[in-house]
Each structure stands twice: as C-alpha cells, then as structure tokens.
Amino acid sequence: MNRTVFAFLCALFCVGAAPALAQQTPAPSPTPATVGPKATQPPPKPAKPTATPSPTPTPGPPWSNAQWREMGPALPGGRVPAVAGSAKDPNLYYIGAAGGGVWKSGDGGETWQAVFEKEKVAAIGAVAIDPNNNDTVWVGTGESNPRNDVSYGDGVYKTTDGGQSFKRMGLEGTRHISRILIDPKDSNHVIVGAMGDVFGPSNDRGVYVTFDGGKTWSKTLFVSTQSGASDLAMTADGSQIYAGIWHFKRQPWTFESGGPDDGLYKSTDGGKTWTRLTGHGLPDGITGRIGLAVAPSDPKRVYAEIESKSGILWRSDDGGANWTMISNDTIVVQRPFYFSHIDVDPKDPNRVYAVSFQLALSRDGGKKWTPIAQQVHVDYHAIWIAPNDGKRIIVGEDGGIARTVDGGQHWFFDRNIPIGEVYHVGFSNENPYWVCGGWQDNNGWCGPNNSLDPSGLLNKYWVGVAGGDGEWAVPDPIDPNWIWADSENGAVTVYNKSTKDTIFIQPYLARSLASYDLRLAKYRFNWDSPIAFAPWNGHLGWLGGNVVFQTSDRGRHWTVISPDLTLNMKSHQIPSGGPLVHDVSGAEYSDTLIDIEGSTIAKGEIWTGADDGVIGLTRDGGKHWKKMTIPGVPPYGRVETVAPSALHDGTAYVNIDRHRSADYKPYVYVTHDFGAHWTNINANLPNDQYVRAVREDLHNRNIVYAGTEAGMWISFNAGQSWHDFRNNLPTVSVRDIRFQPHWDDLLIATHGRALYVMDDMRPIQHLNGDKNQSAFLVAPRTAYEYTLHSDDEGTYTDYTGNNPAYGATVTFFQPLPMKGAPEIQILDA
C-alpha cells in the first residue's frame, strides 16, 4: 500500500485519510512513533501585512482536539418540557429539552439548531418568546416534571439576539423552573415560577418578579422550604396572574406530592403581592400539583387542574372568586406529579386542551373530553397555541415534539432533533459494529457505527429492539443478530435483527401487585434492570433483580446464582407517592441491582452494584458472594457503575450517585484488593456534579474516564486529578461509558443528546496528561475498503448522525501550532 505524501495544518491532534480506504480495526496498542527527519516541514510563507498583528492562539491541553462524533439518532426523540412559538413569525419556534438544551427553528420545524448547548446546564423547564420582540427569548433551566431522571438547572437565561448568545439573569439557586410569563405591555416585567430543589428543602423557590428586564428580582410569593411554584397563568392583558404552589420531595425510593401549604394564589398587581384563594368551591384539605390556564378571550375564565381527593379539574367564570369542579375524568391528568398542564384556545374559552398521558380536547368548557393526536407519542408536557388564530399548535412530549396547523385535525410528528435520553450503550463485534441504547420512554434501538452510506447515519438505519422505556440493549456476543434488551422492571426480550423475531425471556413473572407493594414480591426489579454477559463465556447471560439471574441458553431457562445483594429494607419497598396519589409506574422500585459486570481477565469474577449502596462480588461464578459498602459514603446512594479493570485483577472503579438524597457531590472510588480497601478519587471533580459513570481505559491503566451530570472528565494519573474532556461535546448528562474493544472506540450514552463515540482512542492512550507532551505519531489501524452506497437522491434534509472518517487515519500530535503546514511522508507499507 504505497501512498502519497500527506500535508496537514494543525494545532494539537490532526488526522488525514488515504483516499481509497475506510474505517479500520485496531492493531495492538503500539509504541508511538516520533516524527522523524524525513517528515520535514516546508518553510513558512511570508505573512501578509495587517494593521494589528493577530495574537498567537494559546494552545489547549494535548487532548483538547480529540473530537466526539455525534451518532444520533433523532428517530426515538426525547422528552420536551417546554415549547414556544411566535405569533408574528409562523416559522419561528423554540423548544427546551429535558436534558438536551434549547433548540431553535426558523423554517417552521423543517430543521433545528442547538442554541443553548455550552452553558453549564442542559435541563430546561421553561421557554418564552417576548411577544414584543422575537429576538428576545427567556429560558428557565431545570426541568419541573420531577420524574426519577429529572435534571437540575442554574437559573434564568436571556437572549436578545435570537439565540446567538445567552446571558444568565440570576435565580441561580432555583434548580427547577416551571414557567416564565412576559407582560405583553412591558417586556421588562417578567414573572418566574420556581419549583426549587425537588430532592430537599430550599429557600430558592416560589414566584420571582422583575420590572427591569432581569437586572433585579423580588421573591414575592414564598410559602415554605418544600413548596414551589408548579405553574403560572396570566390574563391576555397581563393584569392578573395566578400561581399554583406545590409541596414535592423526592427520596431515592419514593416521593411525596402534596402538603398543607399548597394551594392557588392570585395577584392583581403584576405579581408584587398575592392572595391565597380558598373555599368558594375549591377543594378542602391537602392539595398537590396545580396546572393553570386563563382563557385569552375571556379574562374571567380560569381553569385549574388540582391534585386532590375531591376531583381533577376546576373552573372559575368570575376571575377566581368562585369555582366549580367540572371533571373527574382521569384523561385530564393520569399522573399528577408528572403532567398537570392545560391550555385554552385563544378564540374560544370553551375549547380546552388537557396535556397529560394523552392530549385531550374539550369543546364544552372542560366537562367532556376526547383524546386527540393519537398518532403522536404519548406523555405530553407542554403546549403552545398561536394567539392569533388557535390553529397553529406545537406540543412537547416524551417522544419530542409534534405540530399542527389546522387546530389538531392533522399532526406532524418531528423526528429530526437528537435529544434522546439514553440510559446505557451496548455494542456488537461486527464489521462495521453496531451500537445499541435504551431510550427513556422511546424503546431500545440499535444501528450501525458506519452506515456505509455517504449521506450519514440516517434515521432509517436504526432498528427498534424493545418497547416502552428502553434501558439496556446489548447484542449477543456469540451471535450479534440477537439483541438482548429490557424495558421497565426486568421485562427482557431477545430480538433478531435479521428475522425480526422477538422472544420474551423474563426470568420471573411476578404475580400482579395491584398495590405495587414490593414487600409482597419474591424478587424485585429496578426500572433500569441490568443486562450483561460473562466475558469468559459469551453463552452466559445475566439479569439483575435483587439477585443475579443467569442463563446459558438465551433465556429459555434461568438460575439464581446469588443471594439478595441489596440492603433489603422493607420500609423502602412500600408503594411510592402519596399522600394523595400513589405512583403506579414501577419507576420508584428500590433495593434492586442496577449494574452487573464480569471481569475480562479472571474467570468467575462478577461485580454488582445496587441502588441502595451495596456492592456485590463473587470470584467463583456465584458460589460465594461478598456484600460490601464503602466506608465513609452516606447510605442509599446508587452504585451506578462497578467496573473491574481490564488490566489488573482486583482493581475496580465504582461511582455512587447520591443526588436523590440532595447530595450532589461526586463519589468515585477505586479498590486494588477486591474491595478490602477503597480510595476516594474525587480529587478536583466539580463539587456539585454528581458522577453517573466511571471506567478505566482499556489499554492504559493510568487513564480513567468519568461521566458527570454535565459532561465528561479524564484522568491521566488513575484519578488523582481530573481534566475536562468535553471538547466538542455539548453540556449533557453522561450515563454510561463503554469501550468497543476490537476497534478501541469509546462509546458514551448521554441523557439528552443520544449517542456519541470517540473513534480510535490510541492517541489519547499515548498521552501522559502533561501539557509539555512531546510530539508523536500514531500509525493507521488496520483499514478496510468498504463499498459505499446511498438510496437517497439529492440533499437529505432530515437529521443524520455522522459516520466515521472515511479512509486510513494517520494521527499525530505536536505541542504548538505551526505557521506552515507540517508534512508527513508515508514511505512504505
């Protein structure tokens, strides 16, 4: 393979590609080759005179030019808690994703651009376009639908240039913002509803008001340290404002929704002062989440969804003075803590939309309801209706967004925004290999790492392999056509991507627990039950409940090979929710396993992690087990990852996530003696970013990777110190880190921006973390020439993920930028 000379202009890592070659498999990690005397650089060209000399750019750290490749897909979508459109421009929309930032479309939803992706947080709770200026948009960070995977924010942001830049305007401690209202008569008058910390008490909650465009804020409605604003609503002229106050708190095994301080409040002076509305038809006793809407065409018509024992939907026809319970139909709100949104047609006060598990419509002022948009994904969280005609509507739901231009008769379900919330990533050993993931409420999906299509990784190349909430999707190591996946509480399937067959292989079919009381169950399964295979025998598959289930015949028969590997606290196994409504999804099940990993270098060695802080270990294939917790770590943390080293037996890395106990510190540990002793390696990780995943490098034992709630970190000294490893990765929660061993690619599952991969980690593995790193060159991996083909004619306007670089990649590192183009000569095969 004689090739020509390649010349590249670069600053840190550079790559070039031979024209007739494509993606490669790795050779064993070689010693880096120093650029020799043959690879000389040409003399620099004379610089053109300029009025002001350009400053020499300060080089970043040696790893800063390593790039993450966005794979997508956008097909599964993701949860959207906030949507906004423009009354003036029918093509302008903004959406806020649960974990994927803010996106803008200027062409009616045909294409979307991420405009809020490098800020410190990625979870969005509210978006509002200034009705007087389309270039001014307010963003409230932190989702306010507090399900088990909710993520936090750090205040309110504002753009005045149409999303080109955002400035934080304060309220940093509010964490979860439910609604932003902008006075139509005064753009400097803005009202913000803040939930506050959903995991613990906080003073940063309630209703905040500014009259100077966000320069200063006043907290004008505060009820208690555990009750925040669930929703706000304003009359069309801005003269009256309503607020719902909601007591909510999550714990690792349950939540509580509703308290004595909750209720409905009204302001008639722009939010400066508030009056609590009681009696006159409103429900007595404890109330929970409240959703609000005022009819734009009738300022006296107010709707309130109230979590209560007395009903579901109340209506006032006199501006809140008197109320009538008009519906107890659960289609209005199925799960109050998760939904509870409502809106009214701008032209017809009797035409009401309920935004819940389904999107429902009432034409008689809320008395009778009919489901609509049934071809759209379920679980709705947001709605915006064009105020000028009521026909143009955009909704946000767990599957992304949907739009209508005819008042809901026909809907277009967008599939072009990669905001999927992936729990875990899996891979096969094919060529090209496949990548799989489980999406929150969007099934399990698998697709090729390389589509062999010049158009890229189109949505059509992804295959659905499991339904419901996909959590794990892992190709069978013996036959990658079979993909093992689970969906919610251990419901396991094996799907054959060639024959399209699906086999249900759940190891234990529990009797129906109408009360969802796990104390009565023989086995317990997490919403996110782990699947894994024995590295020493691909025929052995594992599934985690509160015990480890093992199968050797692809799920036809299962054997329990462990004792209960959790704390088994019966008080943590009672039905979650209350005091008004118990959650009935199974998402709060506790005392269960959430990770299983086998050692790649020691047969019979299996590690487990539980959601209550327990680590399990067997070294003889399950005959004997050791249960342990890490001394000094507070209880009830989730052992999200327990990753045995691929290089040294006895070494394992563990991260424990305690954010559900309002503890946001990182907990990362390593043992070198099978858990007899543990060393804290939190070092300089951000003190407010809990760690979601940790893993040692496949070939360099000094390199460790950590995924946090806001990005990626890397250590070059086994965790003694850490460096930001986001590079081009947007701010996002990184939930899983895996190596594809045959290609030495690093795969990550993000909870808000789908899947990413860093191709060929050998250049990173050659680094020592020193900014004074000397130059080196990494020769190409074994390369394959693929036949590429596309069935698409012309420009493909839908979303596409990125294929690997085409060609045999040559990577080199130089410490400083060069004025001229460095030259690499390839002299022999």
Side-chain angles (χ1 to χ4, degrees):
M1 277 181 35
N2 233 348
R3 293 294 175 196
T4 187
V5 173
F6 298 96
F8 314 102
L9 178 63
C10 72
L12 299 166
F13 283 122
C14 286
V15 296
L21 300 176
Q23 181 64 39
Q24 319 91 315
T25 54
S29 189
T31 302
T34 303
V35 178
K38 291 289 185 180
T40 58
Q41 83 175 42
K45 296 178 180 179
K48 295 181 180 180
T50 57
T52 303
S54 299
T56 302
T58 302
W63 55 89
S64 61
N65 271 13
Q67 297 291 289
W68 294 96
R69 173 165 60 90
E70 180 182 322
M71 294 186 67
L75 180 64
R79 192 164 70 251
V80 175
V83 295
S86 167
K88 299 177 179 179
D89 181 355
N91 292 317
L92 179 63
Y93 294 99
Y94 285 84
I95 70 164
V102 178
W103 295 70
K104 174 185 178 181
S105 176
D107 54 16
E110 183 70 16
T111 60
W112 293 85
Q113 297 78 43
V115 294
F116 189 98
E117 62 175 356
K118 290 299 183 181
E119 284 71 19
K120 292 183 178 180
V121 294
I124 307 300
V127 177
I129 302 174
D130 188 333
N132 304 304
N133 185 350
N134 279 343
D135 288 335
T136 299
V137 182
W138 289 80
V139 173
T141 60
E143 185 189 5
S144 63
N145 302 310
R147 61 166 287 127
N148 54 357
D149 67 338
V150 68
S151 190
Y152 63 89
D154 66 349
V156 175
Y157 289 75
K158 178 182 178 182
T159 177
T160 57
D161 53 18
Q164 296 181 51
S165 62
F166 282 86
K167 180 181 179 182
R168 189 165 62 180
M169 305 304 295
L171 309 186
E172 288 86 347
T174 52
R175 292 190 76 86
H176 303 274
I177 290 176
S178 58
R179 183 75 73 179
I180 297 176
L181 302 178
I182 304 171
D183 189 334
K185 302 188 304 296
D186 180 3
S187 296
N188 287 318
H189 178 207
V190 181
I191 305 95
V192 172
M195 272 294 300
D197 192 345
V198 301
F199 296 103
S202 168
N203 288 307
D204 296 303
R205 58 174 88 237
V207 178
Y208 295 81
V209 181
T210 179
F211 288 93
D212 54 15
K215 295 178 184 177
T216 60
W217 294 89
S218 298
K219 182 167 61 175
T220 61
L221 178 57
F222 175 80
V223 174
S224 78
T225 59
Q226 201 60 67
S227 296
S230 61
D231 203 1
L232 301 173
M234 177 189 283
T235 54
D237 61 1
S239 63
Q240 300 177 56
I241 305 169
Y242 297 84
I245 296 297
W246 176 30
H247 172 105
F248 185 87
K249 182 182 179 181
R250 267 196 173 276
Q251 294 176 279
W253 57 89
T254 190
F255 68 82
E256 56 189 59
S257 175
D261 298 322
D262 294 4
L264 187 56
Y265 288 76
K266 180 180 180 180
S267 173
T268 57
D269 56 8
K272 294 179 182 178
T273 61
W274 297 85
T275 300
R276 183 173 183 179
L277 305 180
T278 59
H280 300 277
L282 287 172
D284 296 326
I286 292 176
T287 59
R289 185 167 182 168
I290 298 176
L292 295 165
V294 180
S297 61
D298 181 358
K300 293 187 177 182
R301 174 67 66 86
V302 187
Y303 293 90
E305 293 176 340
I306 304 176
E307 184 179 0
S308 165
K309 296 288 188 182
S310 303
I312 292 177
L313 181 65
W314 276 258
R315 190 180 85 196
S316 173
D317 294 317
D318 54 10
N322 297 281
W323 296 83
T324 302
M325 197 280 283
I326 55 172
S327 180
N328 203 21
D329 189 343
T330 56
I331 195 173
V332 179
V333 179
Q334 277 88 353
R335 297 173 72 192
F337 92 94
Y338 193 35
F339 301 119
S340 298
H341 297 285
I342 197 164
D343 210 345
V344 188
D345 187 290
K347 304 298 183 182
D348 182 355
N350 290 314
R351 188 178 174 91
V352 192
Y353 294 87
V355 183
S356 185
F357 175 75
Q358 293 176 287
L359 188 64
L361 174 65
S362 172
R363 296 177 174 86
D364 60 1
K367 296 176 182 177
K368 296 180 181 180
W369 293 88
T370 303
I372 62 172
Q374 291 180 289
Q375 67 271 38
V376 178
H377 196 289
V378 296
D379 287 357
Y380 293 84
H381 301 287
I383 186 171
W384 178 87
I385 307 172
N388 47 346
D389 64 4
K391 300 293 186 183
R392 184 165 54 91
I393 303 173
I394 181 172
V395 294
E397 20 79 13
D398 272 16
I401 60 170
R403 293 174 289 112
T404 180
V405 294
D406 58 12
Q409 296 184 52
H410 305 89
W411 292 85
F412 179 80
F413 188 19
D414 292 60
R415 301 277 191 152
N416 55 357
I417 316 174
I419 52 173
E421 297 139 292
V422 186
Y423 289 98
H424 300 281
V425 60
F427 54 83
S428 72
N429 295 319
E430 299 159 272
N431 184 4
Y433 65 87
W434 277 49
V435 181
C436 300
W439 269 250
Q440 188 271 315
D441 204 23
N442 282 277
N443 309 336
W445 295 87
C446 295
N449 171 63
N450 188 343
S451 69
L452 307 184
D453 181 345
S455 298
L457 285 168
L458 307 176
N459 281 335
K460 67 181 181 181
Y461 292 119
W462 292 84
V463 177
V465 298
D469 264 51
E471 281 90 18
W472 298 74
V474 187
D476 190 305
I478 303 300
D479 182 355
N481 278 315
W482 292 100
I483 298 165
W484 299 48
D486 68 350
S487 173
E488 305 164 15
N489 308 119
V492 187
T493 60
V494 178
Y495 173 81
N496 189 294
K497 67 185 183 186
S498 296
T499 66
K500 315 301 182 187
D501 292 324
T502 298
I503 303 172
F504 296 91
I505 60 167
Q506 189 166 352
Y508 177 71
L509 296 175
R511 65 184 179 87
S512 175
L513 290 175
S515 63
Y516 284 78
D517 189 339
L518 278 188
R519 294 172 299 180
L520 307 178
K522 182 177 181 180
Y523 299 111
R524 302 181 299 277
F525 294 91
N526 196 271
W527 189 257
D528 184 7
S529 301
I531 295 174
F533 294 95
W536 57 87
N537 181 354
H539 290 286
L540 292 182
W542 300 314
L543 175 72
N546 58 309
V547 299
V548 176
F549 294 89
Q550 178 173 285
T551 179
S552 59
D553 55 8
R554 198 167 284 143
R556 291 178 178 85
H557 303 87
W558 293 87
T559 302
V560 175
I561 64 165
S562 80
D564 191 317
L565 295 174
T566 75
L567 293 177
N568 191 19
M569 296 186 66
K570 297 304 179 184
S571 61
H572 292 182
Q573 298 168 22
I574 61 177
S576 66
L580 296 166
V581 178
H582 285 102
D583 183 60
V584 293
S585 68
E588 318 301 330
Y589 284 174
S590 185
D591 286 355
T592 56
L593 298 181
I594 55 176
D595 193 30
I596 304 174
E597 302 202 26
S599 170
T600 59
I601 54 178
K603 182 179 178 180
E605 183 179 319
I606 310 169
W607 296 76
T608 65
D611 62 9
D612 55 12
V614 175
I615 299 166
L617 171 63
T618 179
R619 298 176 64 184
D620 54 13
K623 295 177 182 178
H624 304 88
W625 286 84
K626 174 184 178 182
K627 288 171 59 174
M628 62 192 108
T629 57
I630 298 179
V633 178
Y636 315 134
R638 291 170 61 89
V639 185
E640 296 276 8
T641 310
V642 51
S645 170
L647 302 171
H648 186 271
D649 194 24
T651 293
Y653 288 85
V654 168
N655 78 278
I656 298 178
D657 173 8
R658 298 196 70 257
H659 85 272
R660 298 189 189 189
S661 297
D663 181 355
Y664 305 108
K665 296 191 294 290
Y667 290 92
V668 189
Y669 289 82
V670 64
T671 179
H672 298 294
D673 53 12
F674 301 99
H677 302 88
W678 295 91
T679 302
N680 184 320
I681 56 171
N682 299 347
N684 59 317
L685 287 170
N687 201 42
D688 60 350
Q689 281 189 37
Y690 39 100
V691 175
R692 291 287 198 170
V694 64
R695 194 162 301 278
E696 184 186 65
D697 188 84
L698 203 58
H699 296 295
N700 186 334
R701 64 183 303 173
N702 291 316
I703 297 179
V704 185
Y705 308 90
T708 71
E709 190 62 10
M712 275 290 289
W713 292 77
I714 188 170
S715 173
F716 293 95
N717 53 16
Q720 296 180 48
S721 61
W722 295 88
H723 307 277
D724 193 334
F725 196 45
R726 284 175 298 176
N727 297 358
N728 65 316
L729 186 72
T731 300
V732 71
S733 175
V734 176
R735 298 292 182 94
D736 197 10
I737 302 170
R738 301 280 171 168
F739 270 96
Q740 209 295 341
H742 298 288
W743 301 76
D744 208 359
D745 290 349
L746 185 62
L747 307 167
I748 58 173
T750 79
H751 212 70
R753 293 296 293 267
L755 297 170
Y756 280 80
V757 58
M758 187 171 283
D759 299 296
D760 190 1
M761 294 302 293
R762 293 176 304 147
I764 295 293
Q765 290 158 355
H766 291 316
L767 295 176
N768 56 22
D770 188 349
K771 289 188 176 182
N772 298 318
Q773 176 94 39
S774 58
F776 64 81
L777 179 143
V778 180
R781 299 183 289 187
T782 301
Y784 296 90
E785 184 170 6
Y786 295 124
T787 299
L788 304 185
H789 178 74
S790 176
D791 293 325
D792 301 300
E793 182 178 355
T795 303
Y796 195 85
T797 58
D798 201 355
Y799 170 82
T800 59
N802 298 316
N803 279 323
Y806 186 77
T809 302
V810 177
T811 306
F812 68 93
F813 167 78
Q814 59 187 38
L816 295 172
M818 306 178 77
K819 292 183 178 180
E823 183 180 275
I824 293 178
Q825 299 179 11
I826 297 180
L827 303 176
D828 57 33

